[in-house]
């Protein structure tokens, strides 16, 4: 109903200055030549800081590694913003600038509606939310990052022809507004689950009129987030760490798992029902369930591995100093720690790479094999690519495991 009303009003519109501004902005790089390709790749790179994987990685860094409670707040700010954004988009139904027939180039493969910008709102909510959450931690450098990165993301989306200036301005404003709204709710609502449940109830409205993937993705993230937090508080109860290499490992492995699980869950559905994407409601409900399951596993279940890996680190001799407070470390012990052989670092890198490359390789190999089977091994590029990926993965995985065994055999102290 709301889509019909919006379409009747007219969903291809812009302010007088917007199309000329985008055309001028894109003309700076031209349509060919080295500077064009430089700007094209630069803007696409900057745009990544408003995309799912980067934002999830930031939340994972905070939640798994640095500060569980702070990471939970930033995570909810990000997820609630990504939910509110498509609720607005599917009411306004504004088309993309490159669909306006004003001579604007499309430098980015995007779909859905334009207003407000999801990249701008997501980046501003996540980066500014992180700064506001940790303002008492004397991390003043975060302030400049939280301002500069969302602004660069907004500019990149305009240059790529994906959004009008008003899209990104309102997207930035939405992100900032959600930060202070959620922070205020945390302050005045004693039980945080009332806040989470409230957003979940409000979000249900989208099932009646939203037609874009971003809504169903966001709702799945929210449901998985709520269930994961409950499970973590009741069962997992993991602890953060101040050891930098453990933080890095948690984020790397968690990121690989997030990607791998997201793709892995699709495989049986694709095998059983290859054309499921043509069925709007099946694909939408499956998307909600997929993101809910993956988010629940990453927030609630994945941290269960942290305690188990501690036993491995201790067995390898890397955590012998872990339970000794900073005040009780003697000068001699500190000297030993500082003089630890460099092979410790190589061992850690080998261990991390073996996990990340191994898991990613399994997924890529499965995809490559599936495409090869689809093409009946007729020598097409997809089949060759699948075989090459599998071979490279096996080689890299073997090298990483050899490095791990070789450099940790002496069980040094890190």
């Amino acid at each position: 109903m709301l889509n019909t009303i919006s379409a009747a009003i007219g969903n291809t519109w812009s302010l007088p200055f917007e199309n000329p501004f985008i055309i001028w902005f894109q003309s700076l790089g031209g349509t060919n030549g080295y500077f064009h390709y430089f700007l094209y790749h630069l803007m696409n790179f900057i745009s990544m800081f408003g995309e799912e994987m980067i934002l999830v990685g930031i939340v994972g860094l905070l939640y798994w590694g640095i500060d569980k409670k702070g990471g939970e707040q930033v995570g909810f700010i990000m997820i609630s913003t990504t939910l509110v954004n498509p609720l607005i988009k599917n009411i306004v139904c504004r088309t993309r600038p490159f669909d306006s027939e004003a001579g604007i180039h499309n430098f980015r493969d995007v779909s859905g509606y334009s207003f407000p910008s999801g990249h701008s709102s997501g980046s501003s909510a996540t980066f500014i939310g992180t700064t506001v959450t940790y303002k008492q931690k004397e991390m003043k450098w975060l302030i400049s990052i939280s301002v500069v990165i969302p602004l660069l993301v907004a500019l990149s989306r305009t240059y790529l022809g994906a959004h009008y200036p008003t899209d990104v301005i309102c997207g930035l404003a939405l992100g900032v507004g959600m930060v202070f709204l959620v922070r205020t709710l945390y302050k005045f609502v004693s039980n945080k689950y009332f806040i989470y449940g409230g957003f979940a109830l409000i979000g249900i409205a989208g099932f009646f009129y939203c037609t874009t993937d971003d809504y169903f993705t966001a709702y799945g993230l929210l449901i998985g987030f709520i269930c994961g937090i409950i499970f973590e508080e009741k069962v997992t109860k993991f602890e953060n760490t101040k050891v930098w290499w453990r933080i890095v490992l948690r984020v790397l492995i968690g990121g690989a798992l997030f990607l791998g699980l997201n793709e892995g869950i699709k495989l049986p559905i694709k095998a059983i029902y290859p054309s499921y994407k043509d069925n709007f409601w099946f694909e939408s409900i499956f998307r909600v369930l997929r993101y809910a399951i993956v988010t629940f596993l990453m927030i609630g279940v994945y941290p269960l591995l942290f305690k188990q890996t501690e036993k491995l680190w201790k067995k390898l001799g890397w955590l012998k100093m872990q339970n000794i407070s900073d005040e009780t470390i003697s000068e001699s012990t500190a000297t030993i720690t500082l003089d630890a052989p460099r092979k410790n670092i190589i061992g850690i890198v080998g261990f991390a790479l073996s996990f990340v490359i191994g898991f990613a390789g399994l997924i890529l190999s499965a995809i490559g094999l599936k495409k090869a089977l689809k093409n009946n091994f007729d020598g097409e590029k997809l089949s060759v690519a699948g075989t090459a990926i599998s071979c490279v993965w096996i080689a890299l995985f073997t090298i990483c495991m050899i490095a791990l065994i070789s450099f940790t055999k002496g069980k040094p102290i890190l």
Side-chain angles (χ1 to χ4, degrees):
M1 181 64 178
L2 288 171
N3 278 341
T4 305
I5 294 173
S6 196
I9 295 173
N11 55 12
T12 300
W13 54 274
S14 62
L15 297 179
F17 73 91
E18 293 190 278
N19 285 337
F21 174 79
I22 299 175
I23 293 171
W24 168 79
F25 196 13
Q26 291 185 334
S27 71
L28 295 179
T31 57
N32 209 338
Y34 291 110
F35 190 58
H36 164 71
Y37 290 109
F38 170 75
L39 273 182
Y40 171 82
H41 290 294
L42 176 63
M43 293 300 179
N44 273 283
F45 172 75
I46 293 173
S47 183
M48 290 173 57
F49 286 87
E51 293 179 356
E52 176 184 285
M53 197 56 209
I54 296 295
L55 301 183
V56 168
I58 293 171
V59 173
L61 173 65
L62 299 175
Y63 180 74
W64 294 321
I66 298 174
D67 176 21
K68 181 167 61 176
K69 292 300 180 184
E72 178 185 339
Q73 290 191 22
V74 176
F76 181 69
I77 290 171
M78 181 199 74
I79 292 172
S80 60
T81 303
T82 58
L83 178 64
V84 172
N85 182 276
L87 291 176
I88 299 173
K89 272 186 176 180
N90 283 268
I91 292 176
V92 178
C93 298
R94 188 185 198 183
T95 55
R96 301 282 180 176
F98 54 77
D99 289 327
S100 65
E101 299 181 358
I104 296 172
H105 297 287
N106 178 15
F107 293 144
R108 185 78 172 182
D109 184 17
V110 293
S111 60
Y113 299 117
S114 183
F115 180 93
S117 167
H119 283 66
S120 300
S121 61
S123 63
S124 62
T126 304
F127 286 100
I128 294 176
T130 301
T131 300
V132 172
T133 301
Y134 292 97
K135 63 182 180 180
Q136 72 278 15
K137 305 288 185 180
E138 296 183 357
M139 300 170 69
K140 294 181 180 180
W141 54 272
L142 276 175
I143 298 176
S144 58
I145 291 178
S146 68
V147 173
V148 171
I149 290 182
L151 287 176
L152 289 177
V153 169
L155 284 173
S156 73
R157 301 302 290 173
T158 305
Y159 176 83
L160 295 171
H163 288 288
Y164 292 99
T166 47
D167 294 338
V168 296
I169 292 171
C170 291
L172 292 172
L174 173 62
V176 174
M178 289 300 297
V179 169
F180 290 100
L181 171 62
V182 172
R183 293 280 297 177
T184 301
L185 290 173
Y186 270 119
K187 184 177 180 181
F188 291 103
V189 179
S190 58
N191 189 335
K192 63 184 179 183
Y193 290 107
F194 286 131
I195 305 173
Y196 300 164
F199 272 88
L201 288 174
I202 293 171
I204 290 176
F207 281 94
F208 295 95
Y209 71 94
C210 288
T211 60
T212 53
D213 291 343
D214 49 0
Y215 162 73
F216 297 100
T217 297
Y219 199 80
L221 287 171
L222 177 61
I223 298 303
F225 173 86
I226 296 171
C227 296
I229 292 298
I230 294 173
F231 185 86
E232 194 286 323
E233 291 183 347
K234 300 296 183 181
V235 179
T236 309
K237 300 177 181 179
F238 78 93
E239 296 180 358
N240 293 118
T241 177
K242 294 183 179 180
V243 182
W244 69 269
W245 59 264
R246 292 179 69 192
I247 296 175
V248 171
L249 275 182
R250 290 181 180 186
V251 175
L252 287 177
I253 296 173
L257 285 172
F258 182 85
L259 288 175
L261 289 170
N262 208 352
E263 292 299 320
I265 293 175
K266 294 179 184 178
L267 296 180
I269 300 299
K270 287 181 178 179
I272 298 170
Y273 185 13
S275 60
Y276 77 93
K277 288 191 176 181
D278 296 331
N279 186 328
F280 172 76
W281 278 112
F282 183 93
E283 199 280 334
S284 299
I285 298 301
F286 174 58
R287 178 177 288 270
V288 172
L289 293 175
R290 185 173 83 247
Y291 274 93
I293 292 170
V294 173
T295 306
F296 168 74
L297 292 175
M298 300 314 300
I299 291 178
V301 179
Y302 168 57
L304 285 171
L305 298 176
F306 297 165
K307 291 182 180 179
Q308 300 302 317
T309 53
E310 281 188 16
K311 298 177 182 178
L312 176 61
W313 310 143
K314 291 176 181 178
K315 185 176 181 180
L316 293 173
W318 294 349
L319 287 183
K320 288 183 178 180
M321 305 303 299
Q322 183 69 15
N323 296 325
I324 303 178
S325 63
D326 294 337
E327 292 79 6
T328 59
I329 296 180
S330 64
E331 292 182 2
S332 59
T333 305
T335 303
I336 293 173
T337 303
L338 291 173
D339 293 338
R342 295 180 64 183
K343 65 182 180 181
N344 302 331
I345 304 300
I346 302 176
I348 295 169
V349 172
F351 187 82
L353 288 176
S354 66
F355 269 89
V356 175
I357 294 175
F359 195 89
L362 285 172
I363 300 301
L364 292 174
S365 298
I367 294 172
L369 178 61
K370 181 184 176 183
K371 290 183 177 179
L373 289 169
K374 184 178 180 180
N375 293 321
N376 298 318
F377 296 96
D378 59 1
E380 290 187 7
K381 292 181 180 180
L382 290 176
S383 301
V384 175
T387 304
I389 288 171
S390 300
C391 293
V392 170
W393 163 65
I394 292 171
L396 288 173
F397 185 76
T398 303
I399 293 171
C400 290
M401 290 307 298
I402 293 173
L404 171 64
I405 296 171
S406 299
F407 290 102
T408 61
K409 190 174 181 181
K411 297 181 181 181
I413 300 174
L414 181 63

